[in-house]
Amino acid sequence: MDLKINRETVPAAQVIFDSVQEQNVELDYILPDYYPDIFRLIRCQTVPVITGYSISGDKLSYELRCDIHILYCGEGDSVLRCVTQRQNFSRTVDMGTVCDSPEVTLKPKADHVNFRAVNKRRLDVRGAVSVKIKISCEKEQEVISDAFGMNIQVKKVPVRYASKKLSLDKNIRISEETEISPAQPPVLGIISCTCRTPDCEKKMISGKLLAKGDAVIDLLYACEKDGRGAVEPMKFSLPYSQIIDIDDIDDTFECTVTPVVISCDVTPSAGKSGENNVLKCEIELRLMCRAVKTSTAMLAADAYSTVYPCETSVSSIKTEQQPVIYSENRILTAKLGDGDDLPETIYAMWCTPKNINTRLGSDGRSAVISGMITWSMAALDPSGMMIMPDRDEAFEETLELGEDIGGCGISAEVSAGEVSYNISSDGVLTAKAGLDIRLSISSSSTITALTELSVDDSVKKERDGDYSIKLYFGVENEEIWDIAKRYSTSAAAVMEENELDGDRLKNGGMLLIPIIN
């Protein structure tokens, strides 16, 4: 009887590029005539954003935008001023190989920034940002799923894999005007504007993906209170709803939609009273849509003939499924000052997570998220000067997941919500913030599958004697397949002869090994 082999093609995930690129940021800026002279520098911040990318052959090109915000006060003027400049960079990455439909992840981060006033009209900024780049590629791998004839025994294992992946990035714009409360002072200038996008809702409607969510804006603007410069905080949300048409998608796919802020611009304008109490908001979001269809196949992990010598070749295949997302909120508390360290007036307080690291807990059933939290405030010091001090504190949070996630890839994104603060009766300033943790668990496994199998039917295996049964002393947890292969019999025959169930020995002991031809 001839050997017959069934084959199946499965996708194998492979990381082809994983590195970090750095980009220097340099700015030599002369103030326009309508800005007052620089008297005291307050703060400088760089905000990097990936605005787009493209792939041509084995090259990845991406566009990096860096927004630079410099805050200062003029001489004899307590109003806070903000200088905003925008720099754009084009970078290229050599992926080393050509890949169809690669999965690209680009994460920008501000590394450091130094700034100084060269003179009363000139600013000098030097800093650096970095982009963490990870590119994954899928390559089809042909493996053996089954074999028949020539007394072949096949060890088959079930494998779950992403049989089809779909992806689409869609940019949307949100435009809206918001009127500030009559109790709030008019706007003299925007000091800072940050936009957060919590997890959005998603569902399938008539073969299309519907994504709904909110863009949450935290705003600080310069104003005047009691005849001197001050800062006023604002917070509001702008909703969005978008239908996304992805070819070939249906209810069999697991979908994720991740909103990413590309830009958030807020411009003050005059209302009916003639004062600046209307805010024009322009937001651009990128909705990153990913859909995965998971399939199951029985693949051959090993094979041998009970009669003839044979040779096998194997290959390691890494299979991936759609990441599982866990979201959890934690509360952080920090002591930020006491006694002489206390500011005279606090206008606003916020915090920023950075340097986030994620690792598997020692029990294999939890994830440990650690990093730094920068606590910041806009305040007046005891002399009445505007200050914006920062304070870094380390944090570590453990998320209990209730299941074994050993062997999975884990990563976390951390964002901070609203910050509240309190000065106790004994003069201690404490702050409290909600920390939103979004943990992604990428279930992947590496399996060994047969790629080649050949049988030499010109000669039979030699036995050490003419017998139909043999005694063997097995050890606990030994795999029955290995025992059967060692004696050129079948695992099914060993299990039947010894009334075993399962693929491993529960207890050690004497076994009867039937010899089959």
Side-chain angles (χ1 to χ4, degrees):
M1 186 178 186
D2 293 335
L3 180 66
K4 295 182 179 179
I5 297 177
N6 292 343
R7 297 181 181 273
E8 187 159 338
T9 300
V10 295
Q14 179 184 8
V15 176
I16 61 173
F17 189 90
D18 190 357
S19 186
V20 175
Q21 274 194 339
E22 294 186 349
Q23 173 64 55
N24 291 329
V25 177
E26 300 179 353
L27 175 67
D28 185 2
Y29 184 74
I30 298 176
L31 294 177
D33 293 340
Y34 53 84
Y35 273 83
D37 288 350
I38 301 168
F39 176 68
R40 190 165 60 93
L41 293 175
I42 305 295
R43 187 184 184 88
C44 181
Q45 182 181 21
T46 56
V47 182
V49 178
I50 301 296
T51 58
Y53 72 88
S54 61
I55 291 177
S56 177
D58 62 349
K59 298 291 190 296
L60 165 72
S61 299
Y62 65 91
E63 303 299 319
L64 171 67
R65 190 190 73 219
C66 190
D67 294 335
I68 305 170
H69 307 284
I70 307 168
L71 304 181
Y72 78 95
C73 287
E75 187 173 7
D77 184 1
S78 58
V79 175
L80 199 58
R81 310 288 176 175
C82 180
V83 174
T84 298
Q85 288 293 292
R86 183 166 284 179
Q87 293 188 345
N88 295 290
F89 306 95
S90 296
R91 299 297 302 269
T92 300
V93 173
D94 187 352
M95 300 189 299
T97 184
V98 177
C99 179
D100 292 333
S101 303
E103 184 73 21
V104 178
T105 303
L106 300 166
K107 291 187 176 181
K109 185 186 74 167
D111 291 330
H112 67 270
V113 63
N114 297 306
F115 65 111
R116 67 188 181 98
V118 179
N119 55 45
K120 292 183 177 181
R121 306 295 303 171
R122 189 171 179 177
L123 291 162
D124 179 68
V125 178
R126 297 289 183 269
V129 300
S130 60
V131 180
K132 181 173 176 55
I133 307 167
K134 185 175 181 179
I135 307 172
S136 299
C137 188
E138 280 193 352
K139 295 187 177 181
E140 291 188 341
Q141 173 74 59
E142 188 179 71
V143 296
I144 296 173
S145 60
D146 209 346
F148 307 92
M150 303 186 73
N151 303 90
I152 282 292
Q153 303 294 312
V154 180
K155 179 184 180 181
K156 293 188 286 188
V157 295
V159 177
R160 284 174 54 85
Y161 63 95
S163 57
K164 192 171 185 179
K165 291 184 179 181
L166 303 175
S167 64
L168 180 69
D169 292 348
K170 185 169 185 177
N171 287 20
I172 63 172
R173 291 186 176 273
I174 308 171
S175 299
E176 193 169 313
E177 289 190 354
T178 299
E179 190 170 352
I180 67 175
S181 166
Q184 292 179 293
V187 180
L188 296 180
I190 303 299
I191 299 303
S192 71
C193 176
T194 59
C195 183
R196 295 181 289 112
T197 50
D199 289 343
C200 64
E201 299 178 20
K202 60 185 183 301
K203 61 181 178 179
M204 293 293 297
I205 299 179
S206 302
K208 300 183 189 302
L209 187 62
L210 173 64
K212 295 175 62 177
D214 291 285
V216 182
I217 299 173
D218 292 295
L219 188 73
L220 286 178
Y221 69 84
C223 60
E224 284 190 354
K225 289 183 178 179
D226 302 324
R228 64 180 182 181
V231 173
E232 186 77 6
M234 276 191 69
K235 180 179 180 178
F236 52 93
S237 299
L238 300 182
Y240 64 87
S241 178
Q242 188 70 33
I243 292 179
I244 304 163
D245 190 4
I246 305 178
D247 292 341
D248 301 327
I249 197 171
D250 55 37
D251 293 332
T252 63
F253 284 82
E254 297 179 57
C255 303
T256 61
V257 179
T258 304
V260 177
V261 179
I262 302 301
S263 63
C264 179
D265 298 313
V266 177
T267 306
S269 62
K272 295 178 181 179
S273 64
E275 295 180 321
N276 285 345
N277 56 8
V278 174
L279 301 174
K280 295 182 178 180
C281 306
E282 295 283 343
I283 301 175
E284 184 178 2
L285 302 180
R286 179 184 297 124
L287 301 181
M288 301 175 62
C289 311
R290 303 292 182 263
V292 175
K293 178 183 285 189
T294 303
S295 299
T296 302
M298 297 295 294
L299 302 183
D302 196 7
Y304 63 91
S305 171
T306 60
V307 177
Y308 304 104
C310 64
E311 293 184 358
T312 60
S313 296
V314 298
S315 178
S316 295
I317 301 174
K318 185 177 180 181
T319 62
E320 295 182 346
Q321 290 91 46
Q322 181 77 329
V324 178
I325 305 298
Y326 290 87
S327 296
E328 192 163 330
N329 181 268
R330 296 293 175 89
I331 302 298
L332 290 185
T333 302
K335 177 184 173 182
L336 300 182
D338 57 14
D340 295 338
D341 294 335
L342 293 181
E344 177 189 284
T345 303
I346 299 176
Y347 293 117
M349 189 175 292
W350 65 97
C351 66
T352 308
K354 61 182 183 181
N355 301 334
I356 304 301
N357 296 299
T358 312
R359 71 177 191 274
L360 186 66
S362 58
D363 59 357
R365 305 170 68 87
S366 61
V368 180
I369 297 95
S370 60
M372 301 295 293
I373 292 288
T374 301
W375 298 87
S376 309
M377 72 174 77
L380 296 179
D381 66 11
S383 67
M385 302 288 283
M386 182 68 70
I387 57 173
M388 283 191 171
D390 293 332
R391 178 169 175 171
D392 289 337
E393 287 200 352
F395 77 93
E396 182 174 285
E397 297 289 332
T398 300
L399 271 61
E400 300 294 341
L401 304 174
E403 59 180 320
D404 190 353
I405 57 172
C408 295
I410 56 176
S411 62
E413 294 181 0
V414 180
S415 61
E418 190 171 351
V419 175
S420 60
Y421 59 91
N422 176 65
I423 300 178
S424 64
S425 57
D426 55 349
V428 176
L429 171 62
T430 58
K432 185 182 294 185
L435 209 61
D436 295 318
I437 301 174
R438 187 177 187 269
L439 180 69
S440 175
I441 302 177
S442 301
S443 177
S444 63
S445 60
T446 300
I447 63 164
T448 300
L450 281 183
T451 54
E452 297 295 338
L453 172 61
S454 62
V455 177
D456 182 5
D457 61 352
S458 64
V459 61
K460 291 187 176 182
K461 289 182 176 179
E462 292 185 4
R463 299 189 185 278
D464 57 1
D466 186 14
Y467 50 82
S468 60
I469 201 164
K470 191 174 181 69
L471 293 178
Y472 173 77
F473 191 86
V475 297
E476 184 180 357
N477 209 36
E478 188 173 3
E479 194 168 354
I480 296 174
W481 172 270
D482 294 336
I483 300 171
K485 184 178 181 180
R486 185 181 303 123
Y487 291 101
S488 294
T489 185
S490 73
V494 175
M495 294 174 65
E496 182 179 355
E497 184 70 30
N498 296 276
E499 298 182 352
L500 302 174
D501 57 358
D503 57 1
R504 293 180 180 272
L505 294 178
K506 295 180 180 178
N507 301 294
M510 195 65 69
L511 295 178
L512 299 175
I513 309 299
I515 305 302
I516 65 174
N517 294 317

